[in-house]
Amino acid sequence: MVHPSPSDPKNVQYVLWRRGFFPMNPDTALQTMIGDTRREALVIGESREALARQFGYITSPEDASAYYRSSYEKGPYHQKEVAFLRSSPWMVVFDHGKVSNLILVKGW
């Protein structure tokens, strides 16, 4: 039997975490989201408070790394309310206090 690696979205721990049945290291979950084709469903419609509960904390653009801050400031979302999930490259865009978009920052 082949067991998916921890960064594979088919990993049983990640699958259970997605459904709220397993506590997973949030940094591992964020890394695994890269390969998850349904990752938007984890955050779209969520509030800042819900994201902080799910991922431990969120980071404002002002507190993000220089690279992520620069990508935000020079990117197409610089006029929007955004936050980063922990210290990851995942940026969420808020509309009316709820997540409307999930972006993987890889440079603009």
Side-chain angles (χ1 to χ4, degrees), residues 37-96:
T37 58
R38 296 175 294 138
R39 59 187 167 244
E40 287 84 4
L42 290 167
V43 297
I44 299 295
E46 298 292 342
S47 67
R48 287 178 172 276
E49 295 78 18
L51 292 176
R53 280 192 304 274
Q54 184 173 7
F55 295 103
Y57 64 91
I58 59 174
T59 305
S60 70
E62 297 80 25
D63 295 329
S65 73
Y67 175 75
Y68 296 148
R69 186 174 48 254
S70 173
S71 294
Y72 160 71
E73 291 169 349
K74 295 176 182 175
Y77 298 97
H78 69 278
Q79 298 291 334
K80 297 281 192 172
E81 178 187 358
V82 304
F84 291 89
L85 302 178
R86 297 179 66 85
S87 58
S88 77
W90 290 109
M91 183 175 76
V92 291
V93 179
F94 293 95
D95 282 318
H96 307 293

